[in-house]
Amino acid sequence: MENYTKYKLKSNDELASLLADKDHLFIIACNKCFKEFETVDEPDCGEFEKIAADCGKTVTGSARVDFLCNKTQTEKKLQDMIPEGTENVFVVSCGLGIQTVAELSGKPVYAASNSLNYRGHHGMALTKKSCDACAQCYLNITGGICPIVDCSKSLVNGQCGGAKNGKCEVDSSKDCAWEKIYKRLEKQGRLSEFLNQPVQVRDYSKVNFKVVQDYVKSIREDRLEGYYGGVHPLERKEFTEHLPLKKFPDPEVVVIPLSMHAGAPANPVVQVGDTVKVGQKIAEAAAFISSPVHSSVSGTVIAIEPHKHATRGECMSIVIRSDGKNTLHESVKPNKDLESLTPDEIVEIVREAGIVGMGGAGFPTSVKLKPPKPIDTILLNGCECEPLLTADHRVLLEFADDVIFGLKAVMKTVNAEKGLIVIEDNKPDAIKLLQEKTADCDGIEVVVAKTKYPQGAEKMLIKRVMKRQVPSGGLPADVGCVVSNISTVKAISDAIQKGMPLVERVVTVTGERLRNPGNYIVKIGTNTKDLIDYCGGVTGDDITIKAGGPMMGFVLPDVNVPIMKGSNGIIAVDTDHTVEQPCIKCGRCVDVCPMELSPLYFAKYADEENWQGMKDKNVMDCVECRCCEYICSSKIPLVTKIKAGKNAVRGMK
């Protein structure tokens, strides 16, 4: 693979002249973007160290840094990198990296390399730029097509002869720029005019990196608003965001898994043949981190046996045949009013109702409501940043009063002064409604957040709204926050005001391959296939069904699995047939990781089974948001490799 890094050390004579009146040098080399991931150390750094030593210069140290132009990452690395006694810093990098170090180091900075221009896609810009700031425009003679940006080799006098079937030999996905130029000039009757032009000589001394630097800076400021990294995939919420909630027809049989939550599976408290009612406890929590399970229908227990499960493959489940009557259990009755309930009583109600995080994680909510540290703010996550999903959006619109009640209950339980309902700006109707309804609520405020994925991840939400950083390995409580999902607090409201345990939830059934998408209130234990069939089934043959959203959802190889407490969506999308290619070290995964990690190393170390390396690179801090995989130029299944690394690290002694 061609090394896309178009810079190299200046000549020995030029470097000797540059070094003549300088000493006590610190050398920083960029580990070059766009190259095969075959080495970590940039060899040009060692070469320059030898040249400096031959000139009798004192080298105070050297460092090799990935993606120097990534200002956020480089700033952190430079803090303790440059030793005392350093007088001059020499950088082996492209122009963007040199300027980044010059801005951050506080020392005189010199370029040890010849920095050629960046060509359209800089490693860290994550955007396309049609002008290369070369200060010598060729558009007038090439028919308006830029040979610098559009040609992989930046040729200025015609094609190299390496194109095949109109595609560039350097990048087979790219059209040959010069074939396009020739065709356009020929169409304009100007081809002979071009061929009679004198040879063009490009003057690289004219390259204006300031234009490129300013452009990248403006893009980065916009992208990093609120928190580092993140992406903005196509939202595709238009399929269902306007569709009101509908009650899904009651199933004849429900299969209720005993594990729909983090922690230990629940233990059955019913037997085959027992008659049960809606809201009746059918399995009790088996540990502190566990949750009870309740019947979503009235009827007869016909089996307690392993059944297929969306995320675990198979799970012990209670199978109930409905009698169609939906008879409520005697325990389902309203509790005292909120003012009369103590925090401990609210926690007990939530625990007994089997309420868990309904955004997908499934952590028992009663545990979250007993934080080990003081809490000053509740963040209600109404972002729903996953593409396609609109379940929480519809809950906000149709159960706003219940959401506010549930928030007040959580605030009272943890003695929080503030409750912030955070809604992304792509839901203006929900923002307007909640602002109206909370106008007179003391301590409750609606926060409008710029739409960005994965803003709904609790650590990102806290950083975006509170400007607080949850420490590595820490919890929101460490910074005085509790984060809860919209549907979760609605369930808390139902448990307090109606006495109803968590036996149903809102599910978005959608996707470009689903005939009739919709938002449904679905009983826990309903068969996923029944939902898909009710929505008209899928169109086409090569379809992937996922539980959850397209970013963090799980592929369902078999749709005969039950809807669970965390099932916020079922989506039908086109199957992805992209093929993994070798990492080209473009750095985009580093640029989008909201946890400020280096996912490219996770892929490398997983392939080498270097689990200690993954641990050292803080793989356990990864939230598996899939931003890195979404942006990966080489289509590497990074999250799969990260999960393998996490499992290996957990097993390390």
Side-chain angles (χ1 to χ4, degrees), residues 40 161 176 213 222 226 286 300 303 335 366 386 394 413 550 564 626:
V40 173
C176 172
Q213 182 71 31
D222 183 58
T300 305
N335 287 279
S366 60
E386 271 270 10
R394 296 312 307 182
T413 307
M564 301 183 293
R626 211 177 290 270

Side-chain angles (χ1 to χ4, degrees), residues 247-254 275-280 295-300 320-330 332 500 503-504 521-524 526:
K247 189 83 172 175
F248 188 78
D250 289 348
E252 294 181 5
V253 174
V254 291
T275 299
V276 295
K277 299 177 181 178
V278 176
Q280 179 178 338
S295 178
S296 57
V297 297
S298 58
T300 305
I320 304 170
R321 185 178 303 281
S322 173
D323 59 15
K325 298 178 182 178
N326 279 324
T327 306
L328 288 180
H329 190 257
E330 295 76 19
V332 179
M500 180 61 75
V503 295
E504 64 183 18
I521 302 173
V522 184
K523 288 183 177 292
I524 303 299
T526 300

Side-chain angles (χ1 to χ4, degrees), residues 255 257 305-317 558-562 564:
V255 177
E305 61 190 13
H307 270 266
K308 292 172 184 174
H309 189 281
T311 60
R312 299 175 186 268
E314 197 173 72
C315 174
M316 188 65 72
S317 306
D558 188 335
V559 293
N560 284 298
V561 292
M564 301 183 293

Side-chain angles (χ1 to χ4, degrees), residues 84-148:
E84 287 188 23
T86 298
E87 295 175 1
N88 302 283
V89 177
F90 278 76
V91 184
V92 183
S93 165
C94 74
L96 296 181
I98 294 164
Q99 290 179 66
T100 302
V101 175
E103 183 181 345
L104 297 173
S105 69
K107 305 279 184 184
V109 171
Y110 301 93
S113 53
N114 285 319
S115 303
L116 304 193
N117 58 312
Y118 112 128
R119 296 177 290 104
H121 281 80
H122 187 269
M124 303 307 302
L126 282 177
T127 184
K128 187 172 183 180
K129 193 175 189 335
S130 57
C131 175
D132 207 49
C134 69
Q136 44 203 303
C137 190
Y138 298 93
L139 295 179
N140 289 343
I141 60 173
T142 59
I145 297 172
C146 178
I148 308 301

Side-chain angles (χ1 to χ4, degrees), residues 214-233:
D214 290 346
Y215 172 76
V216 173
K217 182 180 179 182
S218 67
I219 291 295
R220 185 170 298 285
E221 285 176 350
D222 183 58
R223 288 194 60 254
L224 303 188
E225 183 179 336
Y227 59 90
Y228 181 91
V231 294
H232 194 156

Side-chain angles (χ1 to χ4, degrees), residues 400-469:
D401 292 333
D402 292 327
V403 169
I404 295 167
F405 182 94
L407 174 57
K408 289 178 178 178
V410 175
M411 290 171 65
K412 178 173 183 176
T413 307
V414 300
N415 194 30
E417 297 176 358
K418 290 192 298 184
L420 304 180
I421 306 173
V422 189
I423 308 174
E424 289 194 330
D425 59 10
N426 60 357
K427 305 173 185 65
D429 49 356
I431 292 168
K432 183 174 182 292
L433 177 63
L434 270 295
Q435 284 176 336
E436 291 172 353
K437 288 186 172 288
T438 58
D440 298 324
C441 295
D442 291 338
I444 295 179
E445 179 186 344
V446 176
V447 175
V448 181
K450 180 179 177 181
T451 299
K452 184 165 74 164
Y453 177 87
Q455 193 150 236
E458 59 184 16
K459 292 182 180 180
M460 273 59 267
L461 200 66
I462 292 168
K463 190 167 185 180
R464 166 66 181 81
V465 177
M466 305 300 296
K467 305 294 188 289
R468 300 175 186 174
Q469 180 83 45

